[in-house]
Amino acid sequence: MLLILGPYPPPYGGVSNHISRILPYLKSRGIEHSVYNQYSVGDSSKNVYPIKNKYIWWIKFLIRPQNNLVHFHQFSWLHFQYFLLYSLFNSNRFLLTIHNERLLTGAPILRAISIFCLKFTKCLNVIVVSESVYKKLKLYGIEGLVHLPAYVPPITKSIRNKIKRKYTVFFNIWKVDSRKSVTVYGIDLLIEIASLYPDIQFECFVSSEKNLRLLYDSINQRKVKNIEVVVGENLVSHFSRADLFLRLNRDDAYGVSIQEALDCGVPAIASDVCLRPRGALLFESGNLKQLKAVFERALSLPRHTLISERLSTKYHLELIDIYRRNLGR
């Protein structure tokens, strides 16, 4: 059996969407599986069981004798130490996926400890979403490295809304951790663009309600009236209302929402801070002048032209192949 440990929606985010969307593919291929959700949502019909972030659960799982393939989705610095201990005390074969770039941008001491732990962790594969992190870990001689963006396409595509309305631009973030999030996610750039185009409707999708006041304060300081904040909604289900999507992060690993937009027929503008899905319109990270020029281009060209270079992805099929090989199928 395959055991998957990580987030499951709600809240909706890149990793939780990834896990929820891979399940129908696993079922259709006859791969027996269970999901242990770090949050509180469970769904026994889909074999999803909540952990509720309980430390005692992780301790018990560390020493629980089983004969399974385990896939950990890393979301904490403590996980790197846990993975090392798991490889020492548990006979289960396991994979792990690193979804962010904190190994490049985090505190030096945390990075050093985490890379040290990875170096001595005996697992089947270390799957890395970010190409930059993949290259970094390769230099350190980490074994079993695989570069694989964590994208699973929506099984149902969004249908275009034909009702005439304002030109609408979508933008999304996970959560506002601190004032630093305003620059990390490019919220400042969103506000600048919105102020330049008051007749365009902008919708900012936020997965978590945490520190929303910081987001509202940033918007209100500029007295921008055409940004609507949408909290806790699944972005993909709303793409039928979008004419354009923005991913303005100054720190990112891939940007699955870009590929989601393109797959739903919505052109996407993204910063060049990392490898992006093919077909996205790129601008230099943090450069408002370039962003404005690309934005103007997107407004002037037909939709089919803007998404003409989009490619269908097969990352989810590559992940399933990894599962099948290690399950002996």
Side-chain angles (χ1 to χ4, degrees):
M1 177 183 281
L2 170 65
L3 305 181
I4 301 173
L5 284 80
Y8 187 89
Y12 294 96
V15 185
S16 61
N17 279 335
H18 166 81
I19 292 175
S20 65
R21 289 181 193 165
I22 200 72
L23 300 189
Y25 290 98
L26 297 177
K27 184 177 181 180
S28 68
R29 286 158 176 77
I31 298 176
E32 192 177 358
H33 61 275
S34 291
V35 175
Y36 292 110
N37 176 20
Q38 71 192 59
Y39 299 130
S40 301
V41 173
D43 186 343
S44 58
S45 68
K46 296 180 180 178
N47 297 321
V48 177
Y49 308 100
I51 296 174
K52 301 180 181 179
N53 282 326
K54 292 183 177 179
Y55 286 105
I56 189 64
W57 186 95
W58 289 94
I59 294 170
K60 289 179 179 178
F61 191 80
L62 182 66
I63 58 175
R64 186 186 301 168
Q66 295 170 332
N67 184 25
N68 297 304
L69 174 64
V70 180
H71 186 178
F72 292 102
H73 290 268
Q74 182 266 331
F75 58 85
S76 165
W77 288 109
L78 292 174
H79 273 169
F80 294 108
Q81 298 159 62
Y82 186 90
F83 299 149
L84 176 57
L85 292 173
Y86 194 84
S87 69
L88 294 173
F89 293 108
N90 201 298
S91 60
N92 275 338
R93 296 164 301 143
F94 69 98
L95 318 161
L96 61 97
T97 294
I98 301 172
H99 288 272
N100 53 57
E101 291 198 332
R102 290 175 193 152
L103 286 174
L104 299 178
T105 62
I109 185 64
L110 292 175
R111 289 156 45 196
I113 292 171
S114 301
I115 291 171
F116 175 84
C117 290
L118 276 178
K119 200 169 178 62
F120 293 98
T121 296
K122 302 300 180 184
C123 63
L124 297 168
N125 290 113
V126 178
I127 301 170
V128 185
V129 171
S130 163
E131 184 179 43
S132 299
V133 173
Y134 170 79
K135 291 177 179 177
K136 182 77 170 180
L137 293 181
K138 198 169 184 181
L139 291 175
Y140 281 99
I142 306 299
E143 295 183 0
L145 279 176
V146 176
H147 173 233
L148 189 64
Y151 181 70
V152 182
I155 290 178
T156 55
K157 303 286 181 67
S158 182
I159 301 172
R160 292 297 304 158
N161 188 337
K162 295 181 180 179
I163 301 174
K164 188 173 179 60
R165 69 215 186 297
K166 269 188 175 183
Y167 192 92
T168 304
V169 178
F170 279 11
F171 171 89
N172 77 316
I173 63 176
W174 170 237
K175 63 181 178 181
V176 184
D177 285 318
S178 64
R179 292 193 181 279
K180 184 180 178 182
S181 298
V182 174
T183 53
V184 169
Y185 284 115
I187 295 168
D188 57 327
L189 297 175
L190 170 70
I191 293 170
E192 291 294 336
I193 284 292
S195 68
L196 292 172
Y197 300 90
D199 294 330
I200 291 177
Q201 177 67 28
F202 291 81
E203 295 189 22
C204 177
F205 283 76
V206 187
S207 296
S208 171
E209 295 182 354
K210 182 180 178 182
N211 296 332
L212 279 181
R213 179 48 52 194
L214 292 175
L215 176 59
Y216 285 118
D217 286 347
S218 298
I219 295 171
N220 293 334
Q221 281 173 9
R222 288 297 307 273
K223 299 181 180 179
V224 177
K225 304 296 184 184
N226 55 329
I227 298 178
E228 178 185 353
V229 177
V230 182
V231 183
E233 293 288 325
N234 188 3
L235 179 67
V236 169
S237 64
H238 289 269
F239 269 132
S240 62
R241 298 188 289 102
D243 295 290
L244 185 64
F245 176 71
L246 302 180
R247 181 84 173 192
L248 309 180
N249 296 44
R250 290 179 173 88
D251 180 8
D252 215 352
Y254 176 67
V256 295
S257 54
I258 300 168
Q259 187 69 49
E260 288 175 342
L262 295 171
D263 283 351
C264 292
V266 179
I269 294 175
S271 59
D272 65 355
V273 72
C274 64
L275 177 71
R276 294 304 199 185
R278 182 169 168 179
L281 308 173
L282 302 183
F283 71 98
E284 182 183 348
S285 179
N287 189 323
L288 178 61
K289 184 178 179 180
Q290 276 199 19
L291 171 58
K292 185 176 182 297
V294 176
F295 194 86
E296 288 281 358
R297 180 177 173 232
L299 294 178
S300 66
L301 293 175
R303 178 187 299 271
H304 64 84
T305 301
L306 295 172
I307 64 172
S308 62
E309 295 186 18
R310 180 195 73 87
L311 289 180
S312 296
T313 62
K314 296 182 179 180
Y315 301 126
H316 60 301
L317 301 181
E318 294 178 45
L319 177 59
I320 289 173
D321 284 343
I322 291 173
Y323 288 154
R324 297 181 74 166
R325 285 198 305 270
N326 289 300
L327 287 166
R329 295 175 178 236

